[in-house]
Amino acid sequence: NAMDLLPVDLLPMVWGWIYGAAGHDPAHAYLRVVPTADLSITMGLSVGVLITCLVYNVKIKGLGGWIHELFAAPFGNHWALYPFNFAMQIIEFVAKTVSHGMRLFGNMYAGELIFMLIALLAFGGFGLLWVLQVVLTSGWSIFHILVVTLQAFIFMLLTVVYLGLAHIDLDRH
């Protein structure tokens, strides 16, 4: 996320120089500056958090204890409730993983998209729209600096919460 704090053309310009020095056409050099504005990156990060949580579940509770928790929580330890408990656990794992990745992606992608929409104001054909563009870009840049750092903090905080939940043994608490 912190790469979004650099000037917008700095890294693509440097990449164009490197791409051109390697013998390629610099006009075809492509670099996405903010990797978290790509859904595959954020979902990969959240799947990594899911795998880490599953590993910690097994490490803390043991394989048998974790499997028991899959079937005994949240509704209770009765054989008739096992299918419902298991379904709820799977829904929880999927929902946490998808929402964790989508939250970061959505905020970062929307920030880039708003910058692009503000940049298109100059093409409206009216003489003073560039003044509005400068004002909006300045305001959004200040706000976006807060969003970038806040989203990184929220992703990290949710990761710590999910790992903390993996350490809790529901049978003992």
Side-chain angles (χ1 to χ4, degrees), residues 19 47 107 109 116 130 142 155:
Y19 199 72
V47 166
N107 284 300
Y109 184 73
M116 289 181 215
W130 67 271
I142 293 167
F155 192 89

Side-chain angles (χ1 to χ4, degrees), residues 97-158:
T97 303
V98 170
S99 69
H100 200 201
M102 292 292 289
R103 179 182 300 111
L104 180 59
F105 162 73
N107 284 300
M108 299 309 295
Y109 184 73
E112 280 191 354
L113 195 60
I114 289 175
F115 274 123
M116 289 181 215
L117 292 174
I118 292 171
L120 290 175
L121 278 176
F123 297 106
F126 301 108
L128 293 178
L129 276 182
W130 67 271
V131 175
L132 180 63
Q133 180 185 20
V134 169
V135 170
L136 289 176
T137 300
S138 301
W140 183 252
S141 295
I142 293 167
F143 180 71
H144 194 62
I145 288 170
L146 297 172
V147 168
V148 166
T149 53
L150 184 64
Q151 288 306 312
F153 176 75
I154 289 172
F155 192 89
M156 179 271 314
L157 188 65
L158 285 173

Side-chain angles (χ1 to χ4, degrees), residues 22 27 32 35 52 78 86 90 92 96 108 144 150 152 160 171:
R32 183 164 207 152
T52 306
H78 190 271
F86 183 73
I90 297 303
E92 177 188 353
K96 282 194 307 190
M108 299 309 295
H144 194 62
L150 184 64
V160 171
D171 288 336

